[in-house]
Amino acid sequence: MDEICIPGYKIKAKNRRKISRVKSGGIVLGFRENISDCIQVIETNSKFVLWCKISRLFKDGDVIHGVVYIPPEYTAYSSPDAFGEIESEYLELSSKYENIFMVGDFNARTASEKDYIFIDENDKNNELECVSVNDVCNLNLFNIPIDRNSMDKGKNRYGNQLLELCKCNSLFIMNGRLATDRAGKFTCRNASVVDYCLCNVNFIKNIISLNVLEFSHLYSDVHCPLFICLNCNQSVKESIEQNNFTSQSNKKVNKWDHEKKPEFRENLNFEKLDSL
């Protein structure tokens, strides 16, 4: 279990149980220290998702965010229960919170198949009674197309399970639906789409854009980063930034102690001085 340190950020990790002699990896969530009071990690049993509650940053209340990693099929880390575990925890959280979204690597190829079920309430052959309004119809309220695009034309078993997860829980895949990713760009090896942003209909209004960035070895072995811009509470954001600026301004600088001259010299980075 490596300790990940990023200046200015707090790190929370959910490591997989050790399966072999090598490190088994897991999921990491990083967030800026100045919003740490707004982020609370929710402890759950599934090793495939790390949940956190985001408070105060959105106008319509608390938001639940899930960071997902489902290992590829037919590997030592794969599990037939992965999607079932995520669904079970999602159902428990959705009974308490209205706004939920998930981001991560699902290793699921879904092509551009429907992630929703539309029930025609006027269909006389429909035997379902008291059918409620289809959540998918609400996409039109946000100028989001009902059907999505994808450059990936392939599907796999995990893809079918992901589509079922969405259909049964009114979750929507944002890839290939927003203006910033209307084509549904490849996210892995320039050949497949396996990294997704999913959300329920209540949270859709908070998503400003989704972009699939260019691949970089700095971030991943084969995956492109997903860059998602969210509409947060501006007044809270400004308050946090102001408090952060004030706390930095109030830091006291001690008077120079001549006896610490050797210690000061030892901490100088002469390579950076030369470059400057």
Side-chain angles (χ1 to χ4, degrees):
M1 296 182 184
D2 291 329
E3 288 191 11
I4 300 174
C5 297
I6 305 175
Y9 284 79
K10 285 195 174 183
I11 303 294
K12 298 292 182 180
K14 177 178 271 193
N15 293 285
R16 286 200 291 264
R17 296 290 182 267
K18 191 173 182 180
I19 296 178
S20 61
R21 290 182 294 106
V22 299
K23 294 175 181 177
S24 298
I27 301 172
V28 169
L29 168 69
F31 48 89
R32 295 192 182 191
E33 289 179 345
N34 64 342
I35 61 167
S36 60
D37 291 341
C38 304
I39 310 292
Q40 177 189 349
V41 171
I42 302 172
E43 301 293 340
T44 61
N45 293 324
S46 177
K47 58 181 177 290
F48 303 111
V49 56
L50 191 163
W51 299 101
C52 70
K53 181 173 74 171
I54 306 173
S55 304
R56 296 170 49 216
L57 292 182
F58 296 93
K59 291 182 178 179
D60 49 354
D62 294 337
V63 169
I64 300 299
H65 173 37
V67 186
V68 176
Y69 176 67
I70 299 178
E73 295 181 73
Y74 314 115
T75 65
Y77 304 106
S78 64
S79 168
D81 301 324
F83 286 91
E85 288 182 20
I86 292 175
E87 181 175 30
S88 177
E89 294 187 353
Y90 171 81
L91 288 171
E92 183 178 350
L93 291 166
S94 63
S95 67
K96 305 173 186 176
Y97 303 97
E98 294 183 354
N99 298 281
I100 302 180
F101 77 111
M102 290 182 269
V103 177
D105 177 5
F106 291 78
N107 271 301
R109 300 179 64 186
T110 60
S112 55
E113 290 202 8
K114 288 179 171 57
D115 54 356
Y116 62 89
I117 298 174
F118 181 80
I119 301 171
D120 188 352
E121 297 174 351
N122 298 317
D123 186 356
K124 295 180 179 179
N125 296 321
N126 186 356
E127 297 179 356
L128 296 175
E129 296 181 1
C130 302
V131 176
S132 61
V133 175
N134 294 280
D135 277 342
V136 67
C137 297
N138 292 325
L139 293 177
N140 293 326
L141 299 176
F142 309 107
N143 296 317
I144 296 175
I146 290 178
D147 293 315
R148 62 190 175 89
N149 298 314
S150 179
M151 295 176 70
D152 186 359
K153 306 306 177 185
K155 270 184 62 184
N156 61 7
R157 186 165 61 95
Y158 275 7
N160 289 327
Q161 292 184 32
L162 176 58
L163 291 171
E164 284 301 308
L165 173 69
C166 292
K167 290 175 182 178
C168 294
N169 298 283
S170 292
L171 287 165
F172 298 99
I173 297 172
M174 289 293 99
N175 305 54
R177 270 196 171 103
L178 300 177
T180 48
D181 181 40
R182 193 70 86 196
K185 294 179 183 176
F186 292 126
T187 68
C188 182
R189 298 182 188 272
N190 202 31
S192 63
V193 178
V194 294
D195 308 277
Y196 298 95
C197 172
L198 314 180
C199 69
N200 63 2
V201 72
N202 294 324
F203 190 74
I204 287 177
K205 59 182 174 294
N206 293 305
I207 299 181
I208 297 174
S209 62
L210 180 152
N211 287 284
V212 179
L213 304 185
E214 293 295 323
F215 171 74
S216 170
H217 286 287
L218 177 65
Y219 297 122
S220 175
D221 51 354
V222 294
H223 294 265
C224 298
L226 292 188
F227 183 86
I228 301 162
C229 185
L230 304 177
N231 183 22
C232 70
N233 190 333
Q234 189 64 25
S235 60
V236 173
K237 178 176 178 289
E238 291 173 355
S239 175
I240 291 172
E241 290 176 347
Q242 180 60 38
N243 291 338
N244 186 49
F245 175 78
T246 303
S247 63
Q248 289 178 345
S249 302
N250 292 336
K251 286 182 180 178
K252 184 180 178 182
V253 179
N254 294 328
K255 188 177 179 180
W256 170 253
D257 184 351
H258 192 69
E259 292 181 358
K260 291 189 176 181
K261 178 180 176 182
E263 182 182 344
F264 177 82
R265 288 182 61 84
E266 287 175 5
N267 283 282
L268 289 174
N269 187 328
F270 288 99
E271 288 184 5
K272 285 198 173 182
L273 286 173
D274 290 340
S275 67
L276 288 171

